Amino acid sequence: MTPNPTFDLECNNIAKSFGKVRAVNDVSFTIPSGSFFSILGPSGCGKTTLMRMIAGFEEPTGGDIKIKGKSVLGTPPNKRNVKMVFQHLALFPMMNVYENIAYGLRCSGHDKDEIKRKVHDVLERIALPDVADREIHQLSGGQKQRIAIARCMVLDPDVLLLDEPLGALDLKLREAMKIELKLLQHQFNTTFIYITHDQSEALVMSDHVAVMNKGDFEQIGTPQELYHRPNTAFVAGFVGDSNRWTGRVKSGDATGGMAETDQGLPIKFTANGQSQISEGETVDIFVRPEFIRTLRGADRQSPVEPHETSIDGVVDSLLFNGANSRVLVRGSTGQLIEADVTLTGSGDLTPGEDVRLAWSSEQATCFARHEAS
Amino acid sequence: MQQKDIKRLTMLLLFAPFALWILLLILLPHIGMVILSLREKVAPRVYEFGFGNYIDFAMEPIYWNTLLRTGSMALLVTALALLIGFPIAYYIAKVAGFRTRGALFLLCLIPLWVSDLIRAFGWILLLRETGVISTFLQWSGAIDGPIEFLYNDATVVVGLVYTVILFMIVPLVSTLDGMDNSMIEAGYNLGGNGFTVLRRIIVPYAMPGIVSGCIVVFMLTAGSYLTPILLGGKNSSWFTEQIYDQFITRFNWESGAAFGFLLLAFTSLVIWLGLKLSGQTLANTVAKS
């Protein structure tokens, strides 16, 4: 009877209002089985509300949620086969690791031997076979994380929801857990829905990412699509770093043209496929730092390609961060521009040096400004 | 060197009031009580060391029956206070909004502004033969003649629960308040129904609060004097009444001291048993809340 059994989760036009505030606004999406799906958005964008509706803690004001093709509207949270890893994990401090994992199995009435086998099995799979008798407070941050996931996975859920579970960890551990989560997802082959405001978490781990803003999905796509071909100005600005200018189109057609920023800097751009941009329109232009070439010394005088935009400036400061080092250049129009540079340790750029920045019009993404928003 | 002396002096001064209080108001009187209770009167103004007062207690069933009765009634009051107080505390800590919470907590505190005595008289006004309830029932035709609601065990229990329930609610609210809501949600999310979540998650989490509330309430009830006397009358047979009798009516201080000590030993024993059974310690219950 299931019309589309390849989707673990389908949401059709779900909406949620709290009084007059509309938290989630007619959002629709489908998640194929066994994929890692992230919902990325700034805090207060409604992503937590959306997830709580999927888990059953909130009833949507409109629309339908289907899990494995079956509507779960009106099904209480304890009857849904959707498990959740909470932001602060919510491990039960009065139970030890074994009891925490066995809790869900007990609720569903498994017998003792089966519980024992399943708990040890899942501990084996998360590579923590010896912690069954430990108390929760004796675990490290990363171990707690894995126990929280094991506690859900032992119940074999259709969908696992993760609500920013890495937020409380320190940076090093967070980086390690990102990879580990991805591996765990592969190993269990369950659909993971990961809620986060951290774009690097979403980009690194996900098969698909939905960018959410003010209760709406701005764009759903693979991490690469979002990064290289953003559909909206919000996505372009939120995912990855960008230099952003506001300007007015001087000349242009469907494929691209020339715009002048408010500071008077002329920029060649390529129109983003989704929208038509006409002359005189106010636009936002985004250029990622890694696509900006920094030319120094004699190179500065060499002519740039016709489709390139170039600007002369003075190095304001260097932001050294190993392979991700940046240079801040104050352009002739007075604006600071960020560009990626490779710093080798000798003969590098120095503050005060004259440089020329250049980038291709293909890398200058442009969006018409919607005055309404 | 001088710095160190000043530090030491400060510590001493800070510690002094506490030490004086423990020494003068707790240790000394109790030592006096022990000595007093171990004296036997052999002739007027002639005393001998001996366990006579304790033997008297053991030999006279009415004494230890009263003690057992007081203990079991106090346990009943504790259980009732927990049963009624838990939902109230849960509502205040977890269900009510931020503003309502303060107001509800204040409402719980307001009765404390009035003394025990006045509150007990309030109950008397309501429950006596010519009181509000009896009159109302007669007026509405539910009963024919006046009914005396006072001077029975049920009234004593109700009155005591009313007096002590606040001391149950306060520690419960403070432990439940510290419980992350997501813990309850996780309980449901992993497949538990309302009862499982209450039994496996909320109650075990609140256990320190429950135990500390129960200890305070039990101690207060077993040692209470006013409410049982006023609501239960002369035949309420409360153990504190026996102690009062020995001291004041019979002027038998030796026996009264022994009784006082027995009450302390008995309630301590009950609490020790309770802690053993619930697997809690004083350090993680009363000391925490």
Side-chain angles (χ1 to χ4, degrees):
Chain A
M1 286 308 284
T2 48
N4 222 340
T6 46
F7 292 122
D8 269 349
L9 179 75
E10 289 171 71
C11 290
N12 300 324
N13 294 319
I14 57 169
K16 176 76 185 175
S17 315
F18 295 104
K20 276 188 186 148
V21 185
R22 203 145 167 88
V24 176
N25 209 350
D26 290 335
V27 167
S28 298
F29 60 98
T30 53
I31 299 176
S33 288
S35 63
F36 199 120
F37 187 90
S38 290
I39 298 172
L40 173 65
S43 43
C45 73
K47 55 189 194 298
T48 301
T49 311
L50 179 62
M51 192 197 47
R52 290 174 61 81
M53 286 193 284
I54 298 169
F57 296 124
E58 310 274 359
E59 272 301 306
T61 7
D64 194 9
I65 302 171
K66 285 181 183 166
I67 292 168
K68 289 255 190 236
K70 262 196 343 223
S71 173
V72 292
L73 285 191
T75 312
N78 55 341
K79 298 274 190 279
R80 294 184 189 194
N81 202 10
V82 173
K83 303 302 159 207
M84 181 162 162
V85 176
F86 288 82
Q87 192 166 12
H88 301 289
L89 306 179
L91 292 169
F92 306 131
M94 56 282 178
M95 304 181 193
N96 64 18
V97 170
Y98 182 91
E99 288 298 319
N100 261 283
I101 299 175
Y103 171 84
L105 294 168
R106 294 227 165 98
C107 289
S108 51
H110 287 71
D111 67 58
K112 237 181 170 175
D113 296 332
E114 204 182 347
I115 291 176
K116 199 168 175 181
R117 190 177 54 72
K118 284 197 168 192
V119 172
H120 286 291
D121 193 42
V122 81
L123 282 173
E124 204 78 51
R125 289 173 82 172
I126 56 161
L128 289 172
D130 307 319
V131 298
D133 297 324
R134 296 241 196 112
E135 294 298 324
I136 295 302
H137 63 85
Q138 293 171 316
L139 300 175
S140 72
Q143 287 173 332
K144 280 183 192 164
Q145 196 85 53
R146 281 188 270 173
I147 296 301
I149 293 168
R151 185 173 76 169
C152 297
M153 295 315 297
V154 77
L155 298 169
D156 214 6
D158 294 330
V159 175
L160 181 70
L161 302 170
L162 299 108
D163 182 13
E164 304 194 28
L166 302 187
L169 301 180
D170 61 68
L171 191 69
K172 261 257 155 38
L173 192 52
R174 202 153 60 210
E175 295 300 323
M177 279 310 294
K178 274 186 209 167
I179 299 161
E180 190 151 330
L181 266 176
K182 182 76 190 153
L183 291 175
L184 279 172
Q185 192 262 333
H186 265 298
Q187 199 191 343
F188 287 109
N189 201 25
T190 302
T191 303
F192 277 32
I193 300 181
Y194 190 90
I195 308 280
T196 185
H197 64 262
D198 181 326
Q199 39 137 331
S200 96
E201 286 175 14
L203 296 181
V204 169
M205 295 191 282
S206 321
D207 298 319
H208 291 275
V209 179
V211 179
M212 198 170 180
N213 183 33
K214 293 180 185 157
D216 279 313
F217 274 8
E218 296 264 341
Q219 187 175 358
I220 305 177
T222 63
Q224 304 209 7
E225 279 168 10
L226 292 180
Y227 192 82
H228 293 304
R229 289 192 299 283
N231 279 352
T232 64
F234 177 80
V235 176
F238 193 71
V239 179
D241 292 333
S242 278
N243 290 292
R244 178 183 191 149
W245 290 280
T246 317
R248 198 168 281 280
V249 178
K250 288 283 166 207
S251 66
D253 52 32
T255 57
M258 167 76 86
E260 194 180 88
T261 67
D262 295 349
Q263 291 86 7
L265 171 70
I267 294 177
K268 299 191 190 91
F269 68 87
T270 313
N272 142 285
Q274 307 277 320
S275 56
Q276 276 289 333
I277 292 163
S278 45
E279 277 183 46
E281 215 167 346
T282 311
V283 288
D284 285 316
I285 304 160
F286 295 87
V287 181
R288 298 207 183 274
E290 67 262 36
F291 297 125
I292 300 179
R293 292 191 290 136
T294 310
L295 305 168
R296 27 187 329 215
D299 289 342
R300 287 200 296 132
Q301 309 311 328
S302 64
V304 294
E305 307 268 334
H307 62 274
E308 278 189 323
T309 302
S310 68
I311 175 171
D312 291 321
V314 180
V315 174
D316 189 82
S317 54
L318 285 170
L319 311 171
F320 181 73
N321 184 17
N324 305 318
S325 300
R326 293 253 165 98
V327 63
L328 276 180
V329 175
R330 193 169 290 284
S332 47
T333 50
Q335 201 191 14
L336 280 174
I337 303 168
E338 267 186 69
D340 276 11
V341 287
T342 311
L343 297 177
T344 55
S346 64
D348 285 330
L349 289 163
T350 47
E353 194 177 329
D354 287 325
V355 289
R356 168 172 283 190
L357 301 176
W359 60 86
S360 152
S361 66
E362 280 159 38
Q363 307 301 348
T365 324
C366 185
F367 299 94
R369 175 71 70 88
H370 299 292
E371 295 303 336
S373 61
Chain B
M1 202 63 217
Q2 204 183 0
Q3 192 97 46
K4 217 173 172 185
D5 283 345
I6 290 172
K7 242 184 185 168
R8 202 171 291 167
L9 185 70
T10 325
M11 273 303 290
L12 232 85
L13 283 174
L14 281 171
F15 191 65
F18 175 73
L20 282 175
W21 170 66
I22 283 278
L23 189 72
L24 293 178
L25 295 174
I26 310 276
L27 279 178
L28 270 183
H30 275 84
I31 292 169
M33 288 262 286
V34 175
I35 294 169
L36 200 60
S37 73
L38 289 172
R39 291 199 308 181
E40 274 178 59
K41 200 175 195 174
V42 286
R45 292 175 188 275
V46 183
Y47 297 96
E48 254 177 24
F49 176 83
F51 290 95
N53 295 312
Y54 293 95
I55 293 164
D56 278 352
F57 170 84
M59 299 306 282
E60 184 61 72
I62 193 131
Y63 290 153
W64 48 264
N65 273 336
T66 312
L67 182 58
L68 286 182
R69 185 184 132 83
T70 305
S72 40
M73 294 257 289
L75 280 178
L76 177 69
V77 169
T78 311
L80 284 174
L82 178 62
L83 279 179
I84 301 166
F86 197 87
I88 297 173
Y90 188 82
Y91 186 89
I92 292 176
K94 286 279 158 252
V95 184
F98 184 71
R99 266 202 207 164
T100 347
R101 181 180 308 181
L104 285 172
F105 214 57
L106 193 67
L107 276 178
C108 285
L109 280 169
I110 282 175
L112 269 199
W113 295 354
V114 183
S115 86
D116 271 8
L117 186 69
I118 306 298
R119 282 190 285 164
F121 273 121
W123 278 107
I124 291 173
L125 280 178
L126 283 175
L127 296 175
R128 65 179 172 184
E129 249 179 308
T130 53
V132 175
I133 294 178
S134 178
T135 317
F136 173 77
L137 287 176
Q138 284 178 77
W139 172 82
S140 68
I143 51 171
D144 298 329
I147 291 186
E148 177 65 272
F149 290 101
L150 285 175
Y151 314 127
N152 59 53
D153 287 355
T155 313
V156 174
V157 169
V158 169
L160 280 170
V161 168
Y162 169 71
T163 330
V164 295
I165 195 158
L166 180 74
F167 298 94
M168 185 64 90
I169 291 175
V170 171
L172 281 178
V173 167
S174 80
T175 36
L176 285 172
D177 217 19
M179 182 176 190
D180 193 350
N181 278 338
S182 63
M183 204 104 71
I184 300 166
E185 287 180 346
Y188 282 111
N189 181 256
L190 294 167
N193 54 27
F195 178 68
T196 327
V197 172
L198 179 71
R199 189 176 62 92
R200 302 273 325 267
I201 294 161
I202 300 173
V203 169
Y205 189 92
M207 210 54 191
I210 294 176
V211 170
S212 92
C214 284
I215 290 176
V216 173
V217 163
F218 178 77
M219 282 301 219
L220 281 176
T221 314
S224 69
Y225 178 74
L226 258 177
T227 317
I229 299 295
L230 288 176
L231 298 182
K234 268 288 155 200
N235 49 10
S236 64
S237 317
W238 209 255
F239 197 70
T240 46
E241 208 182 328
Q242 291 281 359
I243 300 173
Y244 179 87
D245 266 3
Q246 298 295 339
F247 271 106
I248 308 298
T249 319
R250 304 213 196 152
F251 216 66
N252 186 351
W253 281 42
E254 292 73 28
S255 169
F259 282 15
F261 227 75
L262 282 164
L263 179 64
L264 179 66
F266 177 74
T267 48
S268 305
L269 179 76
V270 171
I271 283 163
W272 179 80
L273 275 175
L275 285 173
K276 280 283 154 233
L277 287 177
S278 64
Q280 300 284 328
T281 60
L282 272 183
N284 68 16
T285 56
V286 181
K288 257 190 184 168
S289 51

